[in-house]
Amino acid sequence: MKYSWVRILVLVACLLPALVECRVRKYTFNVVLKNTNRLCASKPIVTVNGRFPGPTLYVREDDTVLVRVVNHVKYNVSIHWHGIRQLRTGWSDGPAYITQCPIQTGQSYLYNFTVTGQRGTLLWHAHVLWLRATVHGAIVILPKRGVPYPFPKPDKEVVVILGEWWKSDVEAVINQALSSGLAPNVSDAHTINGHPGPVSNCPSQGGFSLQVEAGKTYLLRIINAALNEELFFKIAGHQLSVVEVDAVYTKPFKIDTLVIAPGQTTNALITADQSSGKYLMAASPFMDSPIAVDNLTATATLHYSGTLASSPTTLTSPPPPNATAVANKFINSLRSLNSKKYPAKVPLTVDHSLFITVGLGINPCATCVAGNGSRAVASMNNVTFVMPTTAILQAHYFNISGVYTTDFPANPPVAFNYTGSPANLKTENGTKVYRVPYNSTVQVVLQDTGIIAPENHPVHLHGFNFFAVGKGLGNYNPKTDPQNFNLIDPVERNTVGVPSGGWTAIRFLADNPGVWFMHCHLEVHTTWGLKMAFLVDNGKGPNQSIIPPPSDLPKC
């Protein structure tokens, strides 16, 4: 009887986190092939636990998360917990050959990290090859128990994942492109929660349906898990009230159309303020450059309870792909909440200032027959990043030489009219990182170039959130443009769009020791080399140093 009372007391204590902290969340991810039918055709895809999209991780702020990933497929695998700070736990960040060697066939790895000071919507995805096309899912970080949202509590919360679908094997698509030197084929459809909705060549195909009740409010946790395309998102007849991006609260604002880049998330409230009916939900591409995209709009349905399935659907027209003004209306409305409880801690001084060009290039390729002896590449400050065969974090931690160099340039090697059409299209190859001391402040101005074509690049920084303090069109002017920086309440996020033919300025505090990848989140550009890494030194003592590697860290 005494033993039973002890168990009861422990159970009660676990329900009272102030007394005992019982908050380790355990998940198992089995990476397996699954035959999946879309666009009236079936193919095997790589999945987690046979699901597409994959399972949602539900955690609370300050929880510790343990995810055992077991690889049952022929490809090497690694998983990135996109947007999780990974304070001192770079071994669990996930990008293959940056922080870990990938998990080989038949092997497993335990990702172990704590969600510190974060709450909101993020995503997890594969971070090797092009596997994240189907290996992805949501991360929902709930506030600490008893802590309310800084916006009206919704009646229900719904994850909405946007993606892309290829009829062909995705790895074959990129391998063919790399061997030819040309760009890969665009996707055959976009998806909402894994479904394109009815399309002309497959009209019988169903789509995702969100069931709602009149008068109730819903929190949509919207994620762009697409490989290569920024997407507009809208719902016919309803306004969206934006309250968060990239797991950071924003000042609320209402709008009818969102734009979300790959790797970005947006939380928006929607009130079912119509009496009844069915309303179209649409995800369509945003591309304001002369570059091919998948023009197919993914559709789903907002379905009021009591409405007959045979009822007509109220339609909406997606913006044209080049609707820059629609995208800017959303982007320019974003501001940090900057409340007393959730302040915007913008660095006001800068220890390290970098000016980085991002764009495309052309390098010689003797075997690229289709490319006429050339291949498309991408670079940052004219350096096309070469992936090592040993993880950079391991090389740094164990002092292994010859894996990387610390001479990533803080400025372009040659100044030119960046948004013009330069004569030199060639780039330099290298595995270069930029080294910064612990707790230093960093400003990075990301400048798009007109090499081949200007393009919007969503750039993601691992290990940190940053503040997007400024942006503009044309070439960045270091004398006049900083005068217009927002250092009060700029939006805080982990992935930001560099506008076509323009620039974006970000600032962050380098308070996380380790090696942290920064790259374009358009997978084709990452593959082509638009990537680099920051190496942040340890600070003083163990609490400012990266933890030792786990015993099961995968080997290359």
Side-chain angles (χ1 to χ4, degrees):
M1 191 71 180
K2 181 180 178 183
Y3 176 70
S4 298
W5 276 109
V6 168
R7 293 189 67 183
I8 291 170
L9 287 171
V10 169
L11 179 61
V12 170
C14 284
L15 296 174
L16 298 170
L19 297 179
V20 175
E21 296 181 357
C22 300
R23 49 186 194 187
V24 175
R25 312 271 179 163
K26 296 182 179 180
Y27 291 88
T28 299
F29 277 17
N30 285 299
V31 181
V32 295
L33 284 180
K34 172 79 171 178
N35 261 333
T36 306
N37 191 293
R38 296 292 186 274
L39 302 179
C40 291
S42 184
K43 70 169 185 176
I45 62 171
V46 181
T47 68
V48 165
N49 298 348
R51 295 168 61 182
F52 169 67
T56 298
L57 290 190
Y58 286 97
V59 304
R60 284 196 183 275
E61 180 182 349
D62 290 345
D63 280 355
T64 292
V65 183
L66 303 176
V67 186
R68 179 163 298 284
V69 176
V70 187
N71 184 5
H72 299 281
V73 299
K74 66 180 181 179
Y75 303 106
N76 286 343
V77 168
S78 71
I79 303 292
H80 172 50
W81 317 95
H82 184 117
I84 296 289
R85 287 291 314 276
Q86 298 289 359
L87 292 168
R88 301 173 48 238
T89 54
W91 309 109
S92 288
D93 190 42
Y97 303 107
I98 304 298
T99 59
Q100 66 166 93
C101 299
I103 306 163
Q104 297 180 26
T105 303
Q107 302 296 309
S108 70
Y109 180 46
L110 182 68
Y111 290 92
N112 181 348
F113 55 89
T114 299
V115 181
T116 304
Q118 293 182 275
R119 77 294 302 166
T121 305
L122 296 170
L123 68 153
W124 59 263
H125 60 76
H127 214 304
V128 62
L129 307 172
W130 275 29
L131 295 182
R132 75 174 175 89
T134 53
V135 180
H136 60 250
I139 303 174
V140 172
I141 309 169
L142 300 171
K144 297 176 187 178
R145 289 193 184 277
V147 177
Y149 293 131
F151 49 82
K153 184 180 178 181
D155 295 292
K156 187 178 180 182
E157 303 182 8
V158 181
V159 169
V160 178
I161 300 180
L162 313 180
E164 289 180 271
W165 182 266
W166 277 260
K167 289 181 180 178
S168 303
D169 175 75
V170 178
E171 294 306 320
V173 170
I174 183 55
N175 289 338
Q176 180 185 13
L178 290 174
S179 64
S180 71
L182 303 176
N185 292 335
V186 299
S187 56
D188 295 294
H190 297 109
T191 57
I192 299 176
N193 281 349
H195 296 276
V199 294
S200 58
N201 58 357
C202 187
S204 61
Q205 174 176 256
F208 170 68
S209 180
L210 173 56
Q211 305 293 318
V212 299
E213 292 183 38
K216 291 194 173 181
T217 297
Y218 298 81
L219 179 67
L220 304 185
R221 298 177 176 271
I222 310 163
I223 298 165
N224 186 345
L227 275 190
N228 293 316
E229 295 190 359
E230 302 190 53
L231 295 169
F232 290 117
F233 178 83
K234 64 187 300 190
I235 300 174
H238 294 76
Q239 289 265 298
L240 296 159
S241 180
V242 177
V243 292
E244 174 208 306
V245 294
D246 292 6
V248 182
Y249 295 135
T250 64
K251 289 182 172 67
F253 65 93
K254 290 189 175 181
I255 201 164
D256 63 3
T257 305
L258 314 179
V259 66
I260 311 179
Q264 291 182 335
T265 67
T266 300
N267 278 11
L269 295 168
I270 180 171
T271 299
D273 53 10
Q274 307 297 314
S275 56
S276 64
K278 291 161 56 182
Y279 297 84
L280 192 73
M281 193 183 298
S284 61
F286 167 51
M287 171 57 75
D288 55 356
S289 297
I291 292 171
V293 293
D294 170 5
N295 280 316
L296 206 61
T297 297
T299 58
T301 307
L302 189 78
H303 191 133
Y304 280 72
S305 64
T307 302
L308 295 175
S310 58
S311 299
T313 300
T314 301
L315 303 179
T316 184
S317 297
N322 63 349
T324 308
V326 176
N328 282 340
K329 182 180 178 183
F330 171 76
I331 294 165
N332 294 339
S333 299
L334 294 170
R335 293 285 186 276
S336 287
L337 185 59
N338 194 27
S339 64
K340 186 174 181 180
K341 186 172 179 62
Y342 303 105
K345 298 178 181 178
V346 187
L348 300 180
T349 59
V350 175
D351 299 321
H352 290 261
S353 182
L354 291 83
F355 179 66
I356 300 178
T357 55
V358 294
L360 308 182
I362 296 176
N363 282 350
C365 172
T367 60
C368 297
V369 178
N372 201 23
S374 299
R375 74 159 69 250
V377 296
S379 69
M380 304 183 83
N381 272 352
N382 210 50
V383 178
T384 294
F385 191 90
V386 177
M387 293 298 279
T389 53
T390 298
I392 295 176
L393 182 58
Q394 288 173 272
H396 165 59
Y397 189 88
F398 293 109
N399 290 314
I400 302 170
S401 61
V403 176
Y404 66 92
T405 59
T406 56
D407 58 345
F408 181 85
N411 292 283
V414 177
F416 61 98
N417 177 15
Y418 305 112
T419 52
S421 300
N424 179 37
L425 305 181
K426 289 180 64 176
T427 68
E428 172 193 352
N429 291 331
T431 308
K432 299 174 184 281
V433 306
Y434 188 89
R435 192 168 200 154
V436 296
Y438 179 84
N439 246 15
S440 54
T441 54
V442 182
Q443 175 176 292
V444 182
V445 175
L446 297 159
Q447 172 73 60
D448 185 34
T449 70
I451 300 173
I452 301 181
E455 188 173 349
N456 191 313
H457 298 277
V459 174
H460 172 49
L461 175 60
H462 292 226
F464 301 96
N465 280 351
F466 52 74
F467 292 95
V469 296
K471 72 182 185 78
L473 292 177
N475 296 331
Y476 172 71
N477 186 319
K479 293 181 180 179
T480 59
D481 285 326
Q483 298 171 17
N484 298 315
F485 282 1
N486 176 5
L487 303 179
I488 305 299
D489 62 351
V491 67
E492 180 183 352
R493 54 192 328 166
N494 62 62
T495 305
V496 70
V498 181
S500 296
W503 56 270
T504 292
I506 65 172
R507 288 187 182 182
F508 65 95
L509 177 68
D511 60 352
N512 195 5
V515 175
W516 305 108
F517 209 17
M518 186 168 78
H519 59 96
C520 181
H521 219 271
L522 304 180
E523 201 64 28
V524 60
H525 292 168
T526 304
T527 303
W528 284 347
L530 208 163
K531 45 196 173 184
M532 57 83 70
F534 285 98
L535 192 162
V536 180
D537 289 320
N538 286 337
K540 296 177 181 178
N543 290 335
Q544 295 182 0
S545 301
I546 188 168
I547 64 170
S551 58
D552 66 338
L553 188 70
K555 294 177 172 56
C556 288

